[in-house]
Amino acid sequence: MAGHSHWAQIKRKKAAQDAKRGKLFTKITREIIVATRIGGGDPSSNPRLRAAIAAAKAANMPKENIERAIRKGLGLEEGTQYEEATFEGYGPGGVAVFIESVTDNRRRTVSELRHIFSKCGGNLAEPGAVAWIFEKKGLIVIPRDGLSEDQVLEVALEAGAEDVRSYEGEFEIITTPEDFEEVKAAIEKAGFSPSSTKVTLVPKTTVKLEDEKTAQQMLRLMEMLEEHDDVQQVYANFDIPENLMEKLSGT
């Protein structure tokens, strides 16, 4: 998963630029509205809303924007009606791609996503085509910052983590969704400072992309999908060797 991990690092670096363009605010606002509509407006009893608000604060979204989105989710203010939709497809090299979206026009979203896949050498697939490849897991990312693998392993595994993956610049701690909060609390109590904490989808298997053109097409597909306003999250099971990923990303 080295290449995939490196893509995650690139995404985090891009987050500030996305916020400036307003794209990130748009995505978070939609997530707050949907999370509120489904689970209510109290973040203490609505984990999804709590996570969305945390993301909003991390992106420096104004407090009034957050409150307005919650009011819209509660139906106290008029606004566009959004629905959740998932889409599945195949990227270059047969990479599995799973997309979570929030849209006000499902037909338009399907058409635009199909165009993006086609443009990047992939194709949109039928529901159920690739969903089975991914499973829900807690993911906690910790920058190395002088930490040893043994230090992280000891704390994480004792707290109930399933796995700890070591990369050049960071550690990834994998948990079950049920143990996520407990492991996260233990990590923070130990004095570690996670750069990212979330419940996400993790692929059970990966597709290695060693051809430069194919890898480049895959990264382009990821970028175009994530830039789409209706797309909230994109998951893919590609594995690009670290040296090729660095060459393509210019890092």
Side-chain angles (χ1 to χ4, degrees):
M1 290 291 287
H4 204 78
S5 173
H6 198 81
W7 169 255
Q9 293 175 45
I10 294 170
K11 280 174 59 179
R12 286 193 284 275
K13 289 176 184 176
K14 289 177 60 182
Q17 298 171 353
D18 289 340
K20 289 176 185 176
R21 292 198 303 265
K23 278 187 176 292
L24 188 59
F25 281 11
T26 299
K27 292 175 186 285
I28 293 173
T29 297
R30 291 185 182 187
E31 174 63 13
I32 291 173
I33 291 171
V34 171
T36 301
R37 192 179 74 227
I38 293 172
D42 181 2
S44 66
S45 58
N46 185 342
R48 181 171 174 178
L49 177 59
R50 188 162 64 244
I53 291 173
K57 290 179 177 177
N60 295 316
M61 180 182 283
K63 184 180 178 182
E64 55 267 27
N65 291 34
I66 298 173
E67 293 173 347
R68 188 182 309 118
I70 293 174
R71 289 197 299 271
K72 286 181 179 179
L74 292 171
L76 302 177
E77 280 193 19
E78 287 189 10
T80 305
Q81 294 299 308
Y82 295 106
E83 66 167 319
E84 290 184 284
T86 60
F87 302 97
E88 301 173 46
Y90 294 99
V95 171
V97 182
F98 188 84
I99 301 165
E100 294 175 345
S101 75
V102 174
T103 176
D104 61 343
N105 186 327
R106 188 186 180 100
R107 183 171 293 182
R108 183 204 66 227
T109 304
V110 170
S111 175
E112 292 175 355
L113 292 183
R114 182 175 286 114
H115 176 70
I116 290 173
F117 270 96
S118 176
K119 193 172 182 178
C120 297
N123 62 280
L124 208 56
E126 294 297 317
V130 303
W132 60 273
I133 293 174
F134 300 91
E135 54 187 345
K136 188 166 284 190
K137 295 289 183 182
L139 176 63
I140 302 167
V141 181
I142 304 174
R144 275 191 175 270
D145 291 340
L147 292 173
S148 71
E149 187 172 351
D150 286 343
Q151 286 176 287
V152 178
L153 272 170
E154 183 179 357
V155 175
L157 297 182
E158 189 174 319
E162 285 189 335
D163 191 17
V164 176
R165 299 170 180 172
S166 177
Y167 299 108
E168 187 176 337
E170 62 190 17
F171 297 101
E172 288 184 353
I173 299 170
I174 310 296
T175 77
T176 63
E178 295 75 21
D179 291 337
F180 173 69
E181 291 292 345
E182 187 175 340
V183 176
K184 179 186 169 201
I187 290 296
E188 291 171 344
K189 185 178 179 182
F192 303 153
S193 301
S195 58
S196 175
T197 59
K198 59 186 176 182
V199 175
T200 185
L201 293 181
V202 176
K204 299 174 188 175
T205 61
T206 60
V207 176
K208 196 160 190 175
L209 301 180
E210 297 182 286
D211 175 71
E212 184 172 334
K213 183 180 178 182
T214 305
Q216 195 168 36
Q217 280 185 310
M218 187 64 226
L219 294 182
R220 178 62 176 153
L221 174 61
M222 292 292 288
E223 187 175 0
M224 290 185 70
L225 289 174
E226 292 188 343
E227 285 182 352
H228 193 286
D229 283 344
D230 296 346
V231 173
Q232 293 294 99
Q233 297 289 340
V234 184
Y235 307 97
N237 71 335
F238 66 88
D239 179 7
I240 300 174
E242 194 74 27
N243 60 337
L244 179 55
M245 178 66 94
E246 289 177 357
K247 178 181 177 182
L248 294 173
S249 62
T251 59

